């Protein structure tokens, strides 16, 4: 489904990604783990077109999506839940969700998807008229995730969904990720919480200062000594 | 009592015009955080468009005020061109300061370009007087221009509010002004949204121009400067970036001016306008309805 080949990204003189290649197959949940500043967000931003690569390719179902405008990528079936949620704080919960379906013109489909999202996140339904800026961190994460689901994406990019959440909410978010995975959505998950991420993933990549240092099945990586030392605190 | 009614009506009339112009400042500021110094000059573009078009319309046997439709379109096009040719390229390369300087430059460019057109030139022109009939409200003579100004502005402001709240483009505008990257991820074309915002803001300036020349029948190339400053003060007073703020700020400035003109002295009106501005900003630095975020200009 998603294939990245030898991706290089620069911020001015800073060489943030130094030749990354990875693939996510149909229906897979793949996680990308790594320390602060490793380049995880940079990778996702480049995939969804918010950043331009210096070289390399991003292929979605075989099509190079780097040349198309960033705002049209969602039409290709890819949705991005950005790091730090980025909900529209001055809009209500429901307005945020409706913005998620901005590219859909069919009101019936929007209404159906809204009900589906409320099914995943009953708490959002209770708070549908509340301003998103007044939600708790966990609720905002649910909103950002629900908003990305409004177009029935084939593939979901999620950037640190567990950031800043209490242990209970982290569990809740991961169980939602698992549910989405089981429902057939392909997911590329970026996480610093390697333990939880490896727990739900099929495969994983480890990113270290702009390079992929390890890759393999989630179980293999979770058992690897280097991963255990560096990311699992063992 | 008669003076009081006069004061209220004049205040509403002045305020409505300021509010229409302030909306343009505030919408553009909301979406790209730029104080569009050229916005006042869009009024001038509207004023001259009306000056030339009203006689054409009347010659065709149509009501003169209908000329506001093409005037709006001309203004909107000028606004969009300014964004497309000047602001957008500068925004890509430069920082906030370069954008601000470009805006100041665009103001001069528009004024000088207008003067360079032979049919315009440096001397003021007197447009055809519209809506000159007078009515009597509670024993006070009120021109129909005044009533039309107040009513039309009110209708436009309500319509604009619902447009931004409910329409697809309006929602896109609000998203872009809150969070450009998230808006892109939703599929919003940010550049289109920005350019539409300029079009709407400049179109409103043409309506304001119609209201203004109905009251003060004179057009000149720097006519936008003074009006623009009052409207800008109104936008800041109400809380720049906020639509209801711009409306409230406009009405407030109009009322303050009318109050000073009626009860004190017209030569004091500027003093009071700025006094009110300073007092309000001391109490609420982000303006009456502004979001309290430390935004540096
Ligand atoms: N806008 C920017 N300008 C300059 N350098 C940047 C910019 N954004 C990121 N970087 C640098 O690029 C590198 C990768 O950053 P990135 O945000 O992708 O890391 P990350 O893995 O997502 O980290 P975190 O876990 O903290 O979110 C870092 O060294 C960072 O300092
Ligand atoms: Mg990151």
């Amino acid at each position: 489904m998603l294939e990245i080949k030898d991706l290089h990204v620069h911020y001015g003189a800073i060489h943030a990604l130094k030749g990354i290649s990875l693939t996510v197959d149909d229906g897979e949940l793949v996680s990308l783990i790594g320390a602060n500043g490793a380049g995880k967000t940079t990778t996702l931003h480049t995939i969804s077109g918010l950043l331009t690569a210096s070289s390399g390719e991003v292929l979605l179902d075989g099509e190079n999506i780097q040349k198309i405008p960033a705002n049209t990528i969602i039409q290709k079936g890819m949705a991005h839940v950005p790091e730090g949620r980025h909900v529209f704080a001055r809009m209500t919960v429901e307005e945020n969700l409706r913005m998620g379906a901005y590219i859909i013109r069919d009101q019936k489909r929007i209404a159906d998807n809204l009900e589906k999202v409320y099914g995943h996140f009953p708490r959002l339904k209770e708070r549908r008229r509340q301003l998103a800026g007044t939600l708790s961190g966990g609720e905002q994460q649910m909103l950002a995730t629900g908003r990305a689901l409004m177009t029935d994406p084939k593939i979901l990019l999620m950037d640190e969904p567990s950031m800043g959440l209490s242990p209970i909410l982290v569990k809740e978010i991961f169980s939602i990720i698992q549910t989405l995975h089981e429902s057939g959505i392909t997911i590329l998950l970026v996480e610093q919480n390697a333990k939880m991420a490896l727990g739900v993933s099929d495969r994983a990549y480890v990113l270290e200062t702009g390079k992929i240092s390890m890759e393999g099945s989630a179980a293999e990586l979770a058992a690897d000594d280097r991963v255990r030392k560096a990311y699992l605190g063992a | 009592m008669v003076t009081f009614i006069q004061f209220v009506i004049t205040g509403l009339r002045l305020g409505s015009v300021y509010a229409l112009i302030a909306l343009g400042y505030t919408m553009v500021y909301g979406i790209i955080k730029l104080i569009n110094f050229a916005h006042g000059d869009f009024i001038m573009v509207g004023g001259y468009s009306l000056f030339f078009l009203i006689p054409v319309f009347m010659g065709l046997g149509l009501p003169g005020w209908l000329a506001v439709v093409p005037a709006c379109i001309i203004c909107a096009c000028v606004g969009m061109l300014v964004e497309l040719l000047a602001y957008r390229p500068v925004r890509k390369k430069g920082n906030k300061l370069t954008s601000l300087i470009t805006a100041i430059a665009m103001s001069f460019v528009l004024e000088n370009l207008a003067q360079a057109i032979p049919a315009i030139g440096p001397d003021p022109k007197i447009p055809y007087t519209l809506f000159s009939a007078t009515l009597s409200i509670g024993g006070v003579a009120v021109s129909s221009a005044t009533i039309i100004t107040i009513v039309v502005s009110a209708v436009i402001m309500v319509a604009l509010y619902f447009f931004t709240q409910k329409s697809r483009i309006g929602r896109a505008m609000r998203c872009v002004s809150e969070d450009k990257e998230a808006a892109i991820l939703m599929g919003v074309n940010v550049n289109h949204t920005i350019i539409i915002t300029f079009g709407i803001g400049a179109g409103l300036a043409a309506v304001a121009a119609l209201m203004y020349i109905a009251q003060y029948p004179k057009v000149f190339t720097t006519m936008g400067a003074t009006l623009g400053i009052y409207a800008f003060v109104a936008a800041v007073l109400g809380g720049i970036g906020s639509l209801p703020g711009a409306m409230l700020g406009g009405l407030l400035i109009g009322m303050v001016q009318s109050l000073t003109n009626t009860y004190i002295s017209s030569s004091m009106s500027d003093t009071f306008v700025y006094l009110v501005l300073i007092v309000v900003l001391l109490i609420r630095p982000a303006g009456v309805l502004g979001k309290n975020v430390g935004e540096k200009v």
Side-chain angles (χ1 to χ4, degrees):
Chain A
M1 164 143 329
L2 179 69
E3 190 174 3
I4 293 159
K5 291 185 189 164
D6 198 24
L7 203 63
H8 288 262
V9 176
H10 292 83
Y11 292 104
I14 301 169
H15 197 174
L17 294 188
K18 303 164 187 158
I20 289 194
S21 300
L22 62 83
T23 57
V24 185
D25 288 328
D26 280 11
E28 260 192 324
L29 198 178
V30 172
S31 55
L32 184 60
I33 59 179
N36 284 115
K40 307 180 295 293
T41 300
T42 305
T43 308
L44 292 195
H45 277 208
T46 312
I47 295 173
S48 56
L50 294 176
L51 284 173
T52 315
S54 329
S55 67
E57 282 178 34
V58 178
L59 305 172
L60 183 64
D61 288 327
E63 182 192 358
N64 192 338
I65 55 170
Q66 282 183 293
K67 296 282 171 282
I68 68 173
N71 69 304
T72 60
I73 285 183
I74 189 168
Q75 291 167 4
K76 305 278 176 194
M78 184 156 82
H80 184 159
V81 186
E83 180 177 58
R85 290 114 204 186
H86 286 266
V87 296
F88 300 109
R90 280 176 269 154
M91 291 182 150
T92 65
V93 166
E94 190 151 317
E95 281 180 308
N96 266 271
L97 293 175
R98 286 184 180 280
M99 268 322 287
Y102 180 76
I103 59 162
I104 304 179
R105 303 276 186 159
D106 176 0
Q107 291 303 316
K108 168 91 176 55
R109 201 175 143 211
I110 296 176
D112 289 349
N113 287 357
L114 198 56
E115 280 317 305
K116 210 155 64 182
V117 168
Y118 283 147
H120 281 299
F121 307 102
R123 193 120 41 116
L124 293 183
K125 187 166 189 173
E126 287 164 26
R127 300 173 183 279
R128 63 208 287 176
R129 310 238 171 275
Q130 192 172 327
L131 289 184
T134 64
L135 295 176
S136 74
E139 289 160 352
Q140 289 194 4
Q141 187 60 51
M142 291 176 195
L143 181 56
T145 311
R147 188 178 65 180
L149 293 173
M150 285 297 292
T151 46
D152 309 300
K154 298 184 291 196
I155 178 163
L156 201 56
L157 311 178
M158 302 186 82
D159 198 343
E160 302 210 29
S162 75
M163 188 170 66
L165 301 187
S166 69
I168 298 170
L169 277 172
V170 170
K171 270 201 182 132
E172 199 173 327
I173 286 286
F174 272 96
S175 102
I176 288 160
I177 294 172
Q178 206 153 18
T179 313
L180 296 175
H181 175 39
E182 280 158 12
S183 75
I185 302 177
T186 307
I187 299 173
L188 177 57
L189 171 67
V190 157
E191 262 300 340
Q192 279 200 49
N193 188 334
K195 189 168 175 216
M196 292 297 282
L198 292 176
V200 295
S201 300
D202 301 315
R203 289 189 303 115
Y205 293 84
V206 179
L207 194 59
E208 266 175 53
T209 54
K211 281 194 178 130
I212 304 256
S213 60
M214 273 183 271
E215 59 177 284
S217 77
E220 265 166 35
L221 286 180
D224 187 287
D225 270 349
R226 287 166 297 170
V227 175
R228 285 163 59 90
K229 276 219 181 67
Y231 302 104
L232 301 176
Chain B
M1 189 62 200
V2 168
T3 350
F4 179 76
I5 296 174
Q6 198 94 53
F7 139 67
V8 172
I9 291 175
T10 309
L12 284 176
R13 185 196 76 218
L14 285 172
S16 313
V17 176
Y18 296 148
L20 282 181
I21 306 167
L23 285 170
Y25 279 107
T26 230
M27 286 169 74
V28 164
Y29 183 85
I31 208 154
I32 53 172
K33 305 289 174 280
L34 169 76
I35 302 206
N36 179 16
F37 280 100
H39 185 67
D41 299 290
F42 296 162
I43 309 164
M44 176 271 293
V45 173
Y48 278 103
S49 304
L50 290 163
F51 170 74
F52 290 114
L53 288 167
I54 290 173
V56 175
F57 270 65
M58 299 188 53
L60 294 169
L62 295 164
W65 59 265
L66 256 189
V68 76
V69 176
C72 273
I73 296 171
I74 292 169
C75 261
C77 290
V78 170
M80 295 195 281
L81 276 177
V82 167
E83 151 64 8
L84 195 66
L85 300 179
Y87 298 160
R88 186 187 294 180
V90 168
R91 204 162 51 238
K92 251 191 211 154
K93 299 270 181 218
N95 55 27
K96 274 200 165 150
L97 200 58
T98 29
S99 290
L100 199 68
I101 290 165
T102 311
I104 295 171
M106 278 322 291
S107 169
F108 286 113
V109 167
L110 288 176
E111 286 172 24
N112 293 347
L113 273 181
Q115 279 199 19
I117 298 173
I120 293 177
D123 298 324
K125 299 270 194 292
I126 310 296
Y128 190 88
T129 312
L130 292 165
F131 316 127
S132 48
T134 41
L135 291 87
S136 169
I137 297 178
V140 183
V142 182
S143 75
S144 55
T146 301
I147 295 169
I148 289 169
T149 300
I150 296 169
V151 173
V152 170
S153 308
V155 169
I156 287 179
M157 287 189 259
V158 171
L160 190 70
Y161 187 74
F162 280 100
F163 172 78
T164 54
Q165 291 301 309
K166 302 289 175 202
S167 77
R168 202 174 124 84
I169 301 171
R171 281 184 292 134
M173 283 164 59
R174 285 194 288 148
C175 284
V176 173
S177 73
E178 267 206 50
D179 191 328
K180 282 192 187 49
E181 293 205 336
I184 293 172
L185 294 178
M186 302 300 110
V188 174
N189 186 325
V190 170
N191 277 337
H192 282 186
T193 311
I194 293 173
I195 210 161
I196 291 169
T197 306
F198 270 88
I200 295 174
L204 292 177
V207 180
L210 177 73
M211 312 297 187
Y212 186 74
I213 63 170
Q215 209 74 45
Y216 309 98
K218 190 162 128 183
V219 288
F220 46 104
T221 51
T222 52
M223 67 185 280
T226 339
L227 267 176
I229 290 283
Y230 289 136
F232 173 60
V233 169
V236 172
L237 189 65
I240 193 145
S242 152
L243 292 193
M247 302 174 195
L248 186 75
L251 289 177
L252 214 60
I253 296 288
M255 284 297 182
V256 169
Q257 281 191 342
S258 175
L259 187 76
T260 6
N261 289 345
T262 314
Y263 294 106
I264 305 169
S265 150
S266 61
S267 59
M268 294 293 285
S269 101
D270 280 359
T271 316
F272 276 87
V273 165
Y274 290 106
L275 199 65
V276 169
L277 178 71
I278 291 166
V279 170
V280 169
L281 292 188
L282 281 176
I283 301 167
R284 287 190 60 90
V288 181
L289 300 177
K291 323 279 174 316
N292 227 332
V293 282
E295 186 67 53
K296 294 193 184 68
V297 176

